[in-house]
C-alpha cells in the first residue's frame, strides 16, 4: 500500500510513497493536461513513465546526467523545445531522475510561461527525500550551486521505491546523508532507526528504508509548509533554512570538487563540521557532536575532509545563500531537533572545526 503525505500551503500537493505505483502519475497530473514534457537524464530511459502517459501528447526531453545538466544552456534548450512543441499553460512537465533532473526540470517548469504544472518522479533516494519535495528549483553558475532558481511547488510527487532497485549502492548511501540530517534537525527517531538497523538491511524493499523515507519527507513537508520561501521561522527557529543544515560547507566542498563528490556525502561532512562549530561555540554538548560522526559513519558516509585548504572553502562559503553581506550564517544545533542560526561565528572557531574533521590550513 502507498502512503500519501500532503504538503500544506497555498497550493497543497501530495507526496505518494509506495512500491510499484507509477500508475498514479496521471492522477497527479490532474485534469486538462494534453501535452506532457518528460525531462530525464539521457542515460536513463523514460520508458517506465511513458508507459502511463499513453493518453497524452508526449515531448521527450533528455538532458545531461548529474549536475552537468543544471546550466542556463540546458534550460534554454528545454525552453526552445517547449516553444517548438506549442506548450501552453495548461500543459505539464514530468521530471524522471535524480536531484539534478528535478532541480533543472522544476526550474524549466517554473520559468516557462511564468509557471506550468510539474510532477516529480524521483528515481534516487536523495531526490525522494530532498529535491522533489518543497518547490525549490535551480541551476548552477560558475559562482556556486543553485544560485539561480525559483520557488515552484509541484502538482505532486511520486516516490516509487521500486525505482531504487537498480540504484547503485553508493548512490543509495549518499541519499541517506539527507535522511540522517533530518534526524538531527527534527526527528531523532530517524537516528534511532539508523543506529538500530544493520546498514546492509537498508535496501529498496526494506521496511526500515521505507520508514526512513516517509519520516524524512514528513520533516521536509512540515518545514516548507511553515516557511515556503525562506522568510524565516518563529521563536528562534531558522524556518526553511534549517534544511540547509550541513550545506554551508557541503556546497563549498561540492563546488571545490567540481561536483565530483555526491551531494549526500558533502552534506554528511558539512553536518559533522556544523556540529564541531556549534560545539566549539559552546552551543552543543560533546556527546551530540560525536553522534554526528557515528550516525553518518554507520551508514557508510564520510565524516572527514581534507581536499582543499580552509581559505578556499571559506571563500566558497561566503557565497552561500544564507550569507548576508560579508556575514556568514550557519544552521547549528543546541540539541537534537533544536536548531538555530549562528551568525558571524569567530573565524578561529571555523578553522578549528575544519581541523577537527581532518582539514588543513
Amino acid at each position: 500500500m502507498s502512503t500519501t503525505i500532503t504538503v500544506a500551503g497555498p497550493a497543497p500537493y501530495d507526496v505518494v510513497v509506495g512500491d510499484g505505483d507509477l500508475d498514479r502519475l496521471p492522477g497527479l497530473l490532474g485534469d486538462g493536461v494534453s501535452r506532457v514534457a518528460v525531462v530525464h537524464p539521457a542515460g536513463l530511459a523514460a520508458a517506465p513513465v511513458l508507459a502511463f502517459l499513453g493518453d497524452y501528447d508526449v515531448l521527450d526531453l533528455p538532458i545531461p546526467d548529474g549536475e552537468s545538466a543544471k546550466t542556463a544552456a540546458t534550460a534554454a534548450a528545454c525552453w526552445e523545445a517547449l516553444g517548438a512543441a506549442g506548450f501552453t499553460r495548461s500543459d505539464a512537465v514530468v521530471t524522471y531522475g535524480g536531484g539534478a533532473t528535478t532541480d533543472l526540470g522544476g526550474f524549466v517548469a517554473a520559468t516557462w510561461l511564468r509557471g506550468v504544472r510539474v510532477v516529480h518522479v524521483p528515481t534516487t533516494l536523495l531526490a525522494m527525500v530532498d529535491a522533489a519535495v518543497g518547490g525549490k528549483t535551480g541551476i548552477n553558475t560558475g559562482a556556486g550551486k543553485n544560485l539561480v532558481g525559483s520557488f515552484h511547488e509541484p502538482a505532486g510527487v511520486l516516490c516509487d521505491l521500486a525505482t531504487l532497485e537498480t540504484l547503485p549502492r553508493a548512490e543509495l548511501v549518499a541519499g541517506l546523508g539527507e535522511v540522517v540530517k533530518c534526524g538531527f534537525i527534527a526527528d531523532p527517531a530517524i537516528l534511532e532507526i539508523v543506529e538500530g538497523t544493520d546498514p546492509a538491511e537498508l535496501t529498496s524493499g526494506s521496511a526500515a528504508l521505507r520508514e526512513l523515507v516517509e519520516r524524512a519527507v514528513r520533516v521536509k513537508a512540515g518545514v516548507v509548509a511553515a516557511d515556503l520561501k525562506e522568510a524565516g521561522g518563529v521563536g528562534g527557529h531558522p524556518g526553511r533554512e534549517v534544511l540547509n543544515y550541513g550545506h554551508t560547507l557541503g556546497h563549498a566542498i561540492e563546488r571545490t570538487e567540481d561536483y565530483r563528490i555526491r551531494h549526500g556525502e558533502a552534506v554528511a561532512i558539512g553536518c559533522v563540521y556544523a556540529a564541531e562549530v556549534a560545539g566549539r561555540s559552546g552551543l552543543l554538548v560533546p556527546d551530540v557532536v560525536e553522534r554526528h560522526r557515528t550516525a553518518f559513519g554507520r551508514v557508510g558516509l564520510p565524516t572527514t575532509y581534507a581536499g582543499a585548504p580552509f581559505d578556499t572553502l571559506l571563500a566558497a562559503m561566503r557565497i552561500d545563500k544564507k550569507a548576508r553581506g560579508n556575514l556568514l550564517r550557519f544552521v547549528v544545533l543546541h540539541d537534537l531537533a533544536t536548531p538555530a542560526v549562528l551568525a558571524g561565528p569567530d573565524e578561529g572557531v571555523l578553522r578549528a572545526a575544519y581541523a577537527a574533521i581532518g582539514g588543513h590550513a
Side-chain angles (χ1 to χ4, degrees):
M1 294 181 64
S2 61
T3 300
T4 299
I5 301 166
T6 299
V7 182
Y13 59 93
D14 289 337
V15 180
V16 178
V17 181
D19 192 340
D21 290 328
L22 288 181
D23 59 337
R24 300 279 299 272
L25 180 55
L28 292 175
L29 283 168
D31 299 328
V33 176
S34 59
R35 297 181 186 86
V36 174
V38 179
V39 179
H40 65 96
L44 178 65
V49 291
L50 294 178
F52 298 100
L53 296 174
D55 293 335
Y56 302 91
D57 181 6
V58 175
L59 173 64
D60 185 51
L61 283 181
I63 60 173
D65 292 344
E67 290 291 322
S68 63
K70 292 171 58 176
T71 66
T74 303
C78 291
W79 295 325
E80 293 295 341
L82 293 176
F87 263 64
T88 70
R89 282 192 172 128
S90 63
D91 298 319
V93 172
V94 170
T95 68
Y96 181 67
T101 299
T102 303
D103 285 347
L104 182 281
F107 181 66
V108 169
T111 49
W112 181 250
L113 300 177
R114 298 187 178 89
V116 296
R117 197 174 313 183
V118 62
V119 172
H120 298 308
V121 185
T123 62
T124 67
L125 178 58
L126 179 66
M128 289 181 182
V129 300
D130 184 31
V133 181
K136 263 193 177 181
T137 73
I139 57 176
N140 303 333
T141 71
K145 184 174 180 178
N146 295 337
L147 296 180
V148 175
S150 175
F151 292 100
H152 186 60
E153 294 178 278
V157 179
L158 183 52
C159 299
D160 185 354
L161 298 177
T163 64
L164 301 180
E165 292 175 1
T166 57
L167 190 69
R169 183 66 186 177
E171 294 293 341
L172 185 73
V173 170
L176 289 170
E178 288 283 357
V179 174
V180 175
K181 178 205 76 178
C182 287
F184 280 107
I185 64 173
D187 184 2
I190 288 175
L191 303 179
E192 295 170 6
I193 295 169
V194 166
E195 293 163 344
T197 304
D198 183 340
E201 296 178 3
L202 293 175
T203 61
S204 62
S206 71
L209 186 68
R210 176 162 178 165
E211 183 175 358
L212 288 174
V213 170
E214 292 180 2
R215 284 185 173 275
V217 169
R218 290 186 192 281
V219 167
K220 188 157 191 183
V223 169
V224 300
D227 182 22
L228 175 63
K229 297 186 177 181
E230 289 186 356
V234 296
H237 191 280
R240 185 168 181 150
E241 283 187 332
V242 73
L243 299 173
N244 279 147
Y245 186 54
H247 286 55
T248 304
L249 181 68
H251 278 169
I253 290 173
E254 287 183 273
R255 181 187 171 199
T256 301
E257 295 286 343
D258 197 23
Y259 304 105
R260 289 184 294 270
I261 187 171
R262 295 177 178 87
H263 176 68
E265 295 169 342
V267 166
I269 297 167
C271 286
V272 176
Y273 177 74
E276 284 287 348
V277 170
R280 292 167 187 276
S281 299
L283 304 175
L284 192 61
V285 297
D287 285 352
V288 181
V289 175
E290 184 60 26
R291 194 173 183 183
H292 282 69
R293 286 186 171 82
T294 58
F296 285 107
R298 178 173 174 78
V299 296
L301 287 163
T303 58
T304 62
Y305 182 75
F310 177 76
D311 286 340
T312 299
L313 295 170
L314 180 61
M317 287 192 286
R318 293 196 185 282
I319 310 173
D320 181 71
K321 295 188 296 297
K322 295 183 297 302
R324 300 292 183 268
N326 292 324
L327 188 69
L328 274 175
R329 298 167 70 252
F330 285 81
V331 176
V332 295
L333 298 181
H334 287 265
D335 199 350
L336 295 179
T338 311
V341 170
L342 176 63
D346 182 82
E347 187 174 314
V349 168
L350 299 182
R351 290 182 181 275
Y354 188 50
I357 67 167
H360 54 88

